[in-house]
Amino acid sequence: MLGRMSLAVTGTIGIDTVYTPRERREGVLGGSAAYFAAGASFLSPVRLVAVVGDDWPSTHRDALGRFTGICTQGLETRTGSRTFSWGGRYFEDVNQRETLFTEVGVLQEAPPRVPDAYRDTQFVFLGNTHPAVQADFIDQFPQRKLVVCDTMDLWIKTAHGELLSLLKRVDGVVLNDTEAHELTGIRNAVSAARHITTLGPTFAVVKKGEHGAVLVHRDGVAVLPAFPAPEDRVIDPTGAGDSFAGGMMGHLARLGRTDFKAIRDALSWGTVVASFTIESFGPERLQALTHAELNERHEHFRSALGVGS
Ligand code: AMP
């Protein structure tokens, strides 16, 4: 049995405004690092590296603090700065989202530093933020074994060169089909993922919302459907992508493995974690989640796939 490996996430903590076809919510705890950490914490302890302003609500701090697996030593609160905030609107087809606003706030200042206590981290997820900042974090983890990143339309459009430089330095990428298309110009998810592996990473995972995910790795290809959630259970898809990555990386960190088969299996944990995230606004459903519920749904998912272990 391999010992528990360490996992860290860098990225944003945000104050989100979310419009769904049925409801509007303001002041929701969000951000790439928050969703990742919340999702990963069920599978592995996770070290958070992020920065917020002094306007960050104490209710959000408390909510994050209630996830027992999240270490917040690397969460900096900067006086006089404003927390990143983001607004998005979902269409009737919940796979479709538009960004209403992005107020970068504290993100335009110096990024947070990785605490010395995190420097032995082996599994690193570079959640969404400016790709130059993501790249800068890599060197702050000298014992890294697996570095995976995410990106988003804003950075694909405004920081393309920096994103291509980042891709040369990571082992894997997790992104959605729209982003994969924007990045590569290729619409087909498998072809886009394959193209991404020619840009540097050993593997690319392309998520297709309710249509599942594909993994293209130098050692093989895998596909996985999404968890078959009935329509009325999908309340707010925000954070599905980040918490998917959290479940996936959390599983890899707990196994201490980085090979194709482990990544393929890890996709199912990402899928199941994300299926809970979308059942509420913000990470509320994850706050209420128990390990027993997570494991039970994972078992159901595996049996729905109709394949062995
Ligand atoms: P997801 O639904 O998984 O794509 O992630 C949504 C989360 O990403 C929201 O909680 C936002 O606060 C955060 N977010 C939105 N835009 C950006 C961006 N450009 N960079 C980093 N994080 C972002």
Side-chain angles (χ1 to χ4, degrees):
M1 168 89 185
L2 284 158
R4 272 206 158 178
M5 304 289 160
S6 46
L7 173 64
V9 58
T10 67
T12 55
I13 301 263
I15 304 176
D16 288 352
T17 301
V18 181
Y19 292 75
T20 69
R22 268 152 287 285
E23 219 179 316
R24 167 198 163 135
R25 284 275 186 101
E26 284 181 31
V28 181
L29 167 59
S32 53
Y35 276 113
F36 179 96
S41 69
F42 289 91
L43 297 147
S44 162
V46 53
R47 298 162 162 180
L48 179 66
V49 180
V51 58
V52 291
D54 54 11
D55 59 342
W56 198 46
S58 60
T59 47
H60 288 191
R61 189 179 298 278
D62 294 345
L64 212 54
R66 278 197 291 275
F67 288 94
T68 46
I70 302 179
C71 173
T72 54
Q73 197 191 326
L75 173 59
E76 181 190 336
T77 306
R78 205 167 287 166
T79 310
S81 302
R82 289 191 72 77
T83 303
F84 168 76
S85 84
W86 172 85
R89 182 167 76 95
Y90 292 89
F91 297 92
E92 278 299 334
D93 169 4
V94 290
N95 288 312
Q96 303 293 326
R97 171 170 89 189
E98 71 172 345
T99 292
L100 298 174
F101 64 87
T102 303
E103 287 170 15
V104 287
V106 69
L107 297 192
Q108 68 200 349
E109 303 169 17
R113 300 304 301 167
V114 175
D116 286 345
Y118 288 8
R119 285 177 67 84
D120 60 354
T121 305
Q122 295 185 313
F123 289 76
V124 178
F125 186 75
L126 306 170
N128 236 313
T129 192
H130 193 290
V133 173
Q134 289 175 300
D136 207 49
F137 281 127
I138 296 177
D139 299 315
Q140 297 182 57
F141 294 103
Q143 295 191 40
R144 59 191 180 272
K145 207 168 145 185
L146 185 78
V147 179
V148 178
C149 77
D150 184 9
T151 194
M152 216 164 187
D153 49 358
L154 177 69
W155 313 119
I156 296 170
K157 287 191 194 105
T158 64
H160 203 81
E162 284 126 313
L163 182 56
L164 292 179
S165 305
L166 171 71
L167 292 181
K168 292 200 179 79
R169 302 198 54 211
V170 299
D171 303 297
V173 183
V174 179
L175 75 189
N176 70 34
D177 49 354
T178 321
E179 292 153 355
H181 176 211
E182 282 178 54
L183 178 62
T184 62
I186 303 168
R187 205 171 282 279
N188 177 280
V190 179
S191 305
R194 194 175 295 289
H195 182 79
I196 292 168
T197 62
T198 67
L199 302 175
T202 308
F203 70 91
V205 177
V206 176
K207 297 158 291 154
K208 301 188 293 167
E210 62 181 343
H211 304 298
V214 299
L215 161 68
V216 174
H217 188 286
R218 292 205 185 136
D219 297 333
V221 175
V223 290
L224 197 73
F227 184 78
E231 204 175 38
D232 58 349
R233 297 290 283 271
V234 184
I235 304 299
D236 168 19
T238 312
D242 300 306
S243 59
F244 172 95
M248 182 189 119
M249 290 291 286
H251 181 69
L252 293 174
R254 77 172 161 178
L255 293 182
R257 284 174 53 187
T258 61
D259 54 289
F260 168 68
K261 280 191 179 152
I263 298 168
R264 189 187 59 191
D265 291 345
L267 296 185
S268 65
W269 287 99
T271 299
V272 172
V273 169
S275 77
F276 284 107
T277 305
I278 65 178
E279 289 182 3
S280 75
F281 282 90
E284 283 168 24
R285 180 63 183 95
L286 294 179
Q287 279 167 45
L289 183 64
T290 64
H291 282 92
E293 282 177 308
L294 178 67
N295 291 333
E296 190 190 344
R297 188 173 287 186
H298 188 255
E299 270 311 307
H300 278 155
F301 183 53
R302 281 234 312 252
S303 67
L305 290 177
V307 290
S309 64

